[in-house]
Amino acid sequence: MERPGPSEVTGSDASGPDPQLAVTMGFTGFGKKARTFDLEAMFEQTRRTAVERSRKTLEAREKEEEMNREKELRRQNEDIEPTSSGSNVVRDCSKSSPRDTSSSESEETSDSSDDELIGPPLPLKMVEEPVSHMEEEIIGPLPPPPFEEVEEDDDDDGDSEEEDNPVQKIPDSHEITLKHGTKTVSALGLDPSGARLVTGGYDYDVKFWDFAGMDASFKAFRSLQPCECHQIKSLQYSNTGDMILVVSGSSQAKVIDRDGFEVMECIKGDQYIVDMANTKGHTAMLHTGSWHPKIKGEFMTCSNDATVRTWEVENPRKQRSVFKPRTMQGKKVIPTTCTYSRDGNLIAAACQNGSIQIWDRNLTVHPKFHYKQAHDPGTDTSCVAFSYDGNVLASRGGDDSLKLWDIRQFNKPLFSASGLPTMFPMTDCCFSPDDKLIVTGTSVQRGCGSGKLVFFERRTFQRVYEIDITDASVVRCLWHPKLNQIMVGTGNGLAKVYYDPNKSQRGAKLCVVKTQRKAKQAETLTQDYIITPHALPMFREPRQRSTRKQLEKDRLDPLKSHKPEPPVAGPGRGGRVGTHGGTLSSYIVKNIALDKTDDSNPREAILRHAKAAEDNPYWVSPAYSKTQPKTMFAQVESDDEETKNEPEWKKRKI
């Protein structure tokens, strides 16, 4: 058999693919030429298209801006009317001598055509200036007249004066009152986000308040006693808001979470060791505590054992470091309050001898700053607080004073204010969020006036504002920077929140707008219900309905919903017996208060009937008349007869 030649093979290929091959492979398309793509040409075409579109968009935007600029310029020219003096000057310029005109024309021909002025005449000030300078300095629409600029400056000055006055920023237009209890609210804490408030008092209770979950009834959603029978002295949220430091009158501080469950409890130290640095914890009553502002899980406490200790939540079995305040003679002194600086690098403590001592957080041996007579000796300094910029320290003394210190020059107070009575060892002071005001509270005797919240300006330390809180002492105050709301704890068990609807954020504004919920009736089952899901339909009990639906059904029944008639007063009417009625119980109630006292002798009263009972027995004797034997009584002999009948040996013995 002959092979086909090359020409025959080419001819068969040109005629098309073999149909048998297509049937065997299951798809067609053999012999077609694949398309080729030039990627560089496609990219170049795409780039040119993008450039062309960008150019068109830019040109359209420029045209639109130019049209807007022309409209604005036309509007400005229509608004500005030339003054009479300006028109006269322009008229005088037009009536100048021919020589000046010819010279000006020659100058204009030498300049470019762009320098010519087109439009209405310019004001006086602009006409006097050269045209070239005007075009170089002024770009865009014409400036407004000078008097308008002066008025705008005056308005700006007024706004700046309002901004410079810090009293205008105090949020005190509205207030809400939270009822903690009947005793002093000695601790306040607000989480960093401002969603929850926690209060503690002398009644050992710690209460949680949720602004978003509360309604107008202002009720706490949780109350607990984390330290049993110890007064709460300090409460503070951590910088992350997930833990609360609880400092009470005991020697062991506690850390609880947001819901009140205990996270850790500090260990108690050995009170028989002399050197307090060798114990693992405090050995005496605590005063206050504070969280580190930067490091999570680190906090500080001070105690009557003359130490300030730092702790870590992860290691409750031993403190992290111990700071021991000392007098100038090296003797122990008890710290009454302590706090961290804003950056957490310094620890400040005020002591009972009136001194304020500041340590470096990492150096526990000697204080970095020590002022020995910051307040009167023997008084408890109740609070020290750093400003937000970290350069100024405020101290609230037990000597009824408030002082301001610059820690860069810690040799004398910057300012001092007196006449601020305090009767509590935890009276607060704090800075406003903008660092321009200092706030503290005053104490009063019961029934001798009202406690006040006093505001001092930081720059001049003038008493610029005060708020009458209540007829009791103001113990705690807290100004939250995010909410711009002021929380106050008082001596009569109230926690007040001051806010301004326009200046404050969230917080108390969330719960004020909510209406008070109505008390719902308890939805209980009327009887025990056994659930048998796999029982046959004939043995399955009907589904039990709640009491609420049953009560709604009974309400529609005229018999069940009939109101019972009130009791009848007096003798009775309409066929109804009076109040006393005719029953035995009503008779007893009616006569129980009658005076039936018998002053006679009860023995005589009984013996009065003795002879009649003996002569005519009625109760007991007739029942035994047939069965009872005859009564025989023994003869009673006298003493003389007895001695006569005695034997001789007894007589001799006598």
Side-chain angles (χ1 to χ4, degrees), residues 142-280:
L142 298 175
F147 63 88
E148 294 183 4
E149 292 181 0
V150 175
E151 290 181 357
E152 289 181 359
D153 293 341
D154 294 341
D155 295 339
D156 294 341
D157 293 341
D159 296 339
S160 62
E161 287 179 0
E162 291 182 359
E163 292 179 358
D164 291 340
N165 188 6
V167 179
Q168 301 294 334
K169 299 182 180 180
I170 299 176
D172 65 331
S173 61
H174 295 68
E175 66 172 289
I176 63 172
T177 302
L178 308 177
K179 182 69 175 178
H180 173 84
T182 57
K183 296 186 178 181
T184 302
V185 178
S186 56
L188 282 177
L190 197 61
D191 69 341
S193 63
R196 286 188 177 182
L197 174 70
V198 59
T199 59
Y202 280 3
D203 55 358
Y204 321 135
D205 288 338
V206 173
K207 293 190 176 182
F208 293 79
W209 315 79
D210 188 1
F211 289 119
M214 271 195 307
D215 56 7
S217 61
F218 306 132
K219 293 182 179 179
F221 73 91
R222 182 167 289 117
S223 178
L224 52 95
Q225 292 184 355
C227 301
E228 297 176 352
C229 58
H230 294 285
Q231 295 176 349
I232 307 299
K233 295 196 171 184
S234 176
L235 293 170
Q236 187 180 6
Y237 274 91
S238 62
N239 53 359
T240 55
D242 58 344
M243 292 181 290
I244 305 172
L245 174 61
V246 182
V247 177
S248 64
S250 67
S251 60
Q252 296 172 271
K254 286 188 178 182
V255 176
I256 59 178
D257 61 6
R258 288 175 61 87
D259 297 322
F261 297 102
E262 183 175 323
V263 176
M264 64 90 69
E265 183 180 14
C266 298
I267 192 173
K268 184 176 181 180
D270 189 350
Q271 57 187 351
Y272 297 104
I273 296 178
V274 177
D275 189 2
M276 288 291 104
N278 294 329
T279 62
K280 296 181 180 180

Side-chain angles (χ1 to χ4, degrees), residues 203-502:
D203 55 358
Y204 321 135
D205 288 338
V206 173
K207 293 190 176 182
F208 293 79
W209 315 79
D210 188 1
F211 289 119
M214 271 195 307
D215 56 7
S217 61
F218 306 132
K219 293 182 179 179
F221 73 91
R222 182 167 289 117
S223 178
L224 52 95
Q225 292 184 355
C227 301
E228 297 176 352
C229 58
H230 294 285
Q231 295 176 349
I232 307 299
K233 295 196 171 184
S234 176
L235 293 170
Q236 187 180 6
Y237 274 91
S238 62
N239 53 359
T240 55
D242 58 344
M243 292 181 290
I244 305 172
L245 174 61
V246 182
V247 177
S248 64
S250 67
S251 60
Q252 296 172 271
K254 286 188 178 182
V255 176
I256 59 178
D257 61 6
R258 288 175 61 87
D259 297 322
F261 297 102
E262 183 175 323
V263 176
M264 64 90 69
E265 183 180 14
C266 298
I267 192 173
K268 184 176 181 180
D270 189 350
Q271 57 187 351
Y272 297 104
I273 296 178
V274 177
D275 189 2
M276 288 291 104
N278 294 329
T279 62
K280 296 181 180 180
H282 288 293
T283 61
M285 179 185 69
L286 299 176
H287 285 289
T288 188
S290 177
W291 285 99
H292 194 284
K294 303 293 183 182
I295 302 176
K296 180 182 179 180
E298 180 179 332
F299 61 93
M300 169 179 54
T301 56
C302 65
S303 169
N304 265 359
D305 60 2
T307 61
V308 177
R309 300 174 190 262
T310 60
W311 304 80
E312 293 178 346
V313 176
E314 293 79 9
N315 185 18
R317 307 306 300 172
K318 188 178 181 181
Q319 74 272 348
R320 178 182 174 275
S321 58
V322 181
F323 299 87
K324 296 185 289 186
R326 293 288 185 265
T327 62
M328 299 302 290
Q329 294 79 23
K331 296 181 179 179
K332 289 183 180 181
V333 62
I334 296 175
T336 57
T337 183
C338 61
T339 187
Y340 280 101
S341 62
R342 295 291 175 177
D343 56 2
N345 294 329
L346 298 178
I347 291 176
C351 304
Q352 282 185 346
N353 64 344
S355 66
I356 295 179
Q357 303 181 30
I358 301 176
W359 293 268
D360 190 315
R361 173 177 165 272
N362 298 318
L363 301 176
T364 63
V365 181
H366 298 291
K368 189 175 182 180
F369 305 104
H370 187 175
Y371 194 83
K372 61 180 179 179
Q373 290 184 350
H375 293 278
D376 292 346
T379 60
D380 290 347
T381 302
S382 57
C383 179
V384 288
F386 281 91
S387 61
Y388 284 93
D389 57 15
N391 297 327
V392 176
L393 179 71
S395 61
R396 182 70 164 95
D399 53 358
D400 301 343
S401 66
L402 176 67
K403 294 185 179 182
L404 208 62
W405 309 81
D406 190 344
I407 61 174
R408 295 167 296 185
Q409 296 178 353
F410 202 69
N411 50 9
K412 63 178 181 179
L414 294 176
F415 301 101
S416 178
S418 58
L420 303 170
T422 174
M423 296 183 295
F424 292 89
M426 64 281 296
T427 303
D428 253 342
C429 66
C430 64
F431 286 84
S432 63
D434 58 359
D435 254 358
K436 294 182 179 179
L437 295 174
I438 303 170
V439 191
T440 188
T442 60
S443 300
V444 293
Q445 296 284 349
R446 187 183 298 272
C448 299
S450 60
K452 297 180 180 180
L453 198 65
V454 186
F455 296 81
F456 292 89
E457 189 176 2
R458 172 182 166 179
R459 185 168 50 86
T460 60
F461 220 64
Q462 293 181 354
R463 193 166 177 166
V464 293
Y465 196 69
E466 60 183 27
I467 304 174
D468 289 336
I469 304 298
T470 182
D471 56 351
S473 302
V474 176
V475 182
R476 288 286 188 179
C477 60
L478 180 64
W479 196 336
H480 197 272
K482 287 187 178 179
L483 302 184
N484 193 25
Q485 298 179 14
I486 303 175
M487 285 71 183
V488 181
T490 64
N492 56 356
L494 302 179
K496 293 197 172 187
V497 182
Y498 289 85
Y499 68 98
D500 191 300
N502 300 323

Side-chain angles (χ1 to χ4, degrees), residues 625-638:
S625 60
K626 296 180 179 180
T627 58
Q628 189 71 16
K630 186 178 179 181
T631 306
M632 297 180 64
F633 296 101
Q635 296 292 332
V636 179
E637 297 179 356
S638 62

Side-chain angles (χ1 to χ4, degrees), residues 594-614:
L594 297 178
D595 187 11
K596 295 182 179 181
T597 56
D598 190 3
D599 296 334
S600 61
N601 190 354
R603 184 173 180 277
E604 294 179 355
I606 294 173
L607 294 178
R608 189 185 308 142
H609 308 282
K611 185 170 181 57
E614 184 178 359

